Amino acid sequence: MNIMKKNYCLFAASFFFALSLSVSCSDAVIAPDPVLPVPAPQQVRWQQMERYAFIHYGLNTYADAEWGYGNVSPELLAPGKLDCRQWARVLAGAGMKGIIITAKHHDGFCLWPCEGTDYDIASSPYRDGKGDIVRELSEACREYGLKFGVYVSPWDRNRSDYGREEYVGYYRSQLESLLSGDYGEIFEVWLDGANGGDGWYGGADETRTIDRRVYYDFPSIDSLILSLQPDAIIFSDGGPGCRWVGNERGVAGETNWSFLRGGEVYPGYHAAGELPSGHEDGDTWIPAECDVSIRPGWFWHADEDSLVKSPEQLLDLYFKSVGRNANLLLNVPVNRDGLISKADSASLYAFNNLLSREFGYNVLKDAAVEASSERGRPFRAENLVDGDYDTFWSVPDSCSAPSVRFSFVKPEKLDKIVLQEYIPLGQRVVDFDVEYLSRDGMWMPVDCGEQTTTIGYKRIVRFRPIETEAVRVVFRESRGPVCISAVEAYLRDYTQAPE
Ligand code: FUL
């Protein structure tokens, strides 16, 4: 349908636009009813963070491993120059809004002094066994205005009791110690889907299989987390706070619904192919998060220093995650000195500069805005360009396929458009088109090479640069009247308002 859609008759489209402008839909000033499911307020705040960093660091950093077996000595953790303030400074400087650290990865080693195990930082030479990297980082995050989150692997390849009920009690006590408030507010708790397999298991050195659906009793783990940190977003393959995007390349679906069918997706879910787009018929708000590493591995390896993603690659990931209604969780591993390497910080800063070049000046700010229909003054089309997410343009319930047009005094150049739905009332848009007025007065589709289906919290449509006197967005299909918070348009390296 989508390909066919691109071949529609332009004449008919222009006729439709002219017709819809002349039809006056009945004026209603109450906001549209929500279209379920809708996000919790903390999910809206989380989505507004857009991009934040992962840090993978631990014994794997020294053992040159990705999945530690759980048998490496804590003696290895002896970073000469470890400085959590450097991590926070670099990441905040690169525009990240928070940091999530591997407090415990699959090897079971804890970066904080953890009761119930001696496979932790207290057994390492770091600060003579008196260190606590979770605390140091949480304080550095506060200092640099970043939110702080923890990755706490359910799988533990070190524990002798892994696979038995006792282990689940131990795991819960770990969550309690991390989330009880000692480390301040935690914005996200990351529950990985890798669960069970071979490991050291206290010397048993064997393979252990658990039933991923029932072993941990995840619903009660979620309740425990939320009882301690009510605003925390819980990540897992199936949420409940946010979901895995289904790949580790950092790429969301062009069509991306922020819903899943409740209770269907669990950590280690078999049909990960459903996750980039979500479930269109889902009944539970579970938006996507794109986790991806700046290097091939999640942990630091000397031989990957030359393989750090370039600023242009990071920019592309931004468009394919944040630009497709997902959040970007970008991993930046800390090296053996206990620092973010220069290669990584250089790429991150340059990526941040590229973003400023991409989004320098919103050319729609000076445009005349004209909608095919409006739902009364509080929902007028000018809300699209007022820079306030909480005001939005909407149309009467009876209006289908509305459109909005932006006209310039003189031709403007642009190469991308940013659209935002007002998600507190639900995700609605199913199908839309971006068009521009050609020199001969025809409405032409922009050349974006992507499906223009869902929008959600944010959708960025990049296209071959155009020069035009007007652009318009036609909302062809929607689950209820559209509620659009913002439409912006940009041209790379265009940073000045016109004279
Ligand atoms: C995966 C883990 O197995 C990797 O080691 C890494 O932590 C990544 C973010 O999630 O599932």
Side-chain angles (χ1 to χ4, degrees), residues 148-204:
F148 179 60
V150 284
Y151 175 126
V152 199
S153 168
W155 187 19
D156 192 319
R157 301 172 100 189
N158 173 259
R159 289 290 289 193
S160 60
D161 54 6
Y162 182 77
R164 295 204 300 270
E165 212 180 306
E166 295 88 308
Y167 169 74
V168 179
Y170 165 72
Y171 182 60
R172 292 174 70 99
S173 74
Q174 293 193 308
L175 289 168
E176 270 163 351
S177 74
L178 288 168
L179 307 178
S180 62
D182 256 18
Y183 297 105
E185 194 179 320
I186 304 291
F187 86 96
E188 185 166 328
V189 179
W190 224 83
L191 304 181
D192 190 76
N195 266 316
D198 59 342
W200 179 242
Y201 304 129

Side-chain angles (χ1 to χ4, degrees), residues 399-419:
C399 273
S400 58
S403 52
V404 64
R405 168 190 175 137
F406 302 87
S407 313
F408 309 116
V409 179
K410 59 177 181 49
E412 283 287 356
K413 285 194 188 132
L414 39 145
D415 62 13
K416 70 190 87 62
I417 197 154
V418 182
L419 298 140

Side-chain angles (χ1 to χ4, degrees), residues 54 56 66-67 105-106 151 190 192-194 248 291 298:
F54 231 168
H56 277 63
E66 279 292 312
W67 278 15
H105 201 255
H106 310 328
Y151 175 126
W190 224 83
D192 190 76
E248 291 183 341
D291 60 317
W298 294 98

Side-chain angles (χ1 to χ4, degrees), residues 53 97 110 120 129 141 165 194 212 214 216 276 280 312 355 384 395:
K97 298 291 185 287
C110 304
D120 69 349
C141 281
E165 212 180 306
R212 296 169 178 202
V214 296
Y216 300 96
E280 184 171 358
E312 288 286 352
L355 277 175
L384 294 168
V395 296

Side-chain angles (χ1 to χ4, degrees), residues 117-417:
T117 186
D118 51 15
Y119 205 53
D120 69 349
I121 199 163
S123 307
S124 81
Y126 181 63
R127 295 196 193 278
D128 296 326
K130 296 194 181 56
D132 180 345
I133 291 175
V134 174
R135 183 172 309 283
E136 286 182 44
L137 184 58
S138 66
E139 288 171 359
C141 281
R142 262 195 294 285
E143 182 180 340
Y144 284 90
L146 296 168
K147 295 195 177 190
F148 179 60
V150 284
Y151 175 126
V152 199
S153 168
W155 187 19
D156 192 319
R157 301 172 100 189
N158 173 259
R159 289 290 289 193
S160 60
D161 54 6
Y162 182 77
R164 295 204 300 270
E165 212 180 306
E166 295 88 308
Y167 169 74
V168 179
Y170 165 72
Y171 182 60
R172 292 174 70 99
S173 74
Q174 293 193 308
L175 289 168
E176 270 163 351
S177 74
L178 288 168
L179 307 178
S180 62
D182 256 18
Y183 297 105
E185 194 179 320
I186 304 291
F187 86 96
E188 185 166 328
V189 179
W190 224 83
L191 304 181
D192 190 76
N195 266 316
D198 59 342
W200 179 242
Y201 304 129
D205 191 9
E206 62 188 9
T207 296
R208 292 186 182 171
T209 315
I210 49 111
D211 183 337
R212 296 169 178 202
R213 282 173 186 260
V214 296
Y215 176 54
Y216 300 96
D217 188 6
F218 274 116
S220 90
I221 293 224
D222 295 343
S223 308
L224 172 70
I225 293 171
L226 295 176
S227 72
L228 299 166
Q229 295 279 339
D231 285 340
I233 295 298
I234 301 173
F235 166 95
S236 84
D237 288 10
C242 68
R243 72 173 194 267
W244 186 40
V245 78
N247 64 72
E248 291 183 341
R249 291 175 294 112
V251 177
E254 291 172 13
T255 298
N256 180 11
W257 293 102
S258 292
F259 332 133
L260 289 180
R261 292 183 289 271
E264 218 174 280
V265 182
Y266 52 90
Y269 185 58
H270 61 280
E274 295 170 9
L275 301 179
S277 295
H279 295 155
E280 184 171 358
D281 60 351
D283 55 8
T284 316
W285 189 274
I286 308 180
E289 179 184 81
C290 294
D291 60 317
V292 57
S293 185
I294 195 167
R295 291 162 173 247
W298 294 98
F299 285 87
W300 181 88
H301 306 284
D303 59 3
E304 293 183 355
D305 273 348
S306 60
L307 300 175
V308 173
K309 288 189 174 64
S310 69
E312 288 286 352
Q313 284 174 308
L314 296 178
L315 181 70
D316 192 52
L317 283 176
Y318 173 87
F319 284 121
K320 290 176 175 160
S321 54
V322 176
R324 293 182 184 170
N325 187 34
N327 273 1
L328 172 60
L329 172 57
L330 179 63
N331 180 61
V332 183
V334 162
N335 65 24
R336 286 187 184 161
D337 285 336
L339 297 170
I340 292 176
S341 302
K342 283 220 168 66
D344 305 58
S345 56
S347 189
L348 282 166
Y349 285 137
F351 159 54
N352 201 41
N353 288 340
L354 279 184
L355 277 175
S356 324
R357 286 172 55 186
E358 291 288 337
F359 297 99
Y361 185 74
N362 171 17
V363 297
L364 299 192
K365 262 169 87 175
D366 308 307
V369 190
E370 191 181 11
S372 61
S373 149
E374 275 179 3
R375 192 186 180 89
R377 239 185 112 62
F379 308 105
R380 59 188 181 273
E382 279 74 16
N383 291 344
L384 294 168
V385 290
D386 66 358
D388 181 355
Y389 180 74
D390 293 323
T391 63
F392 57 94
W393 164 61
S394 190
V395 296
D397 292 353
S398 55
C399 273
S400 58
S403 52
V404 64
R405 168 190 175 137
F406 302 87
S407 313
F408 309 116
V409 179
K410 59 177 181 49
E412 283 287 356
K413 285 194 188 132
L414 39 145
D415 62 13
K416 70 190 87 62
I417 197 154

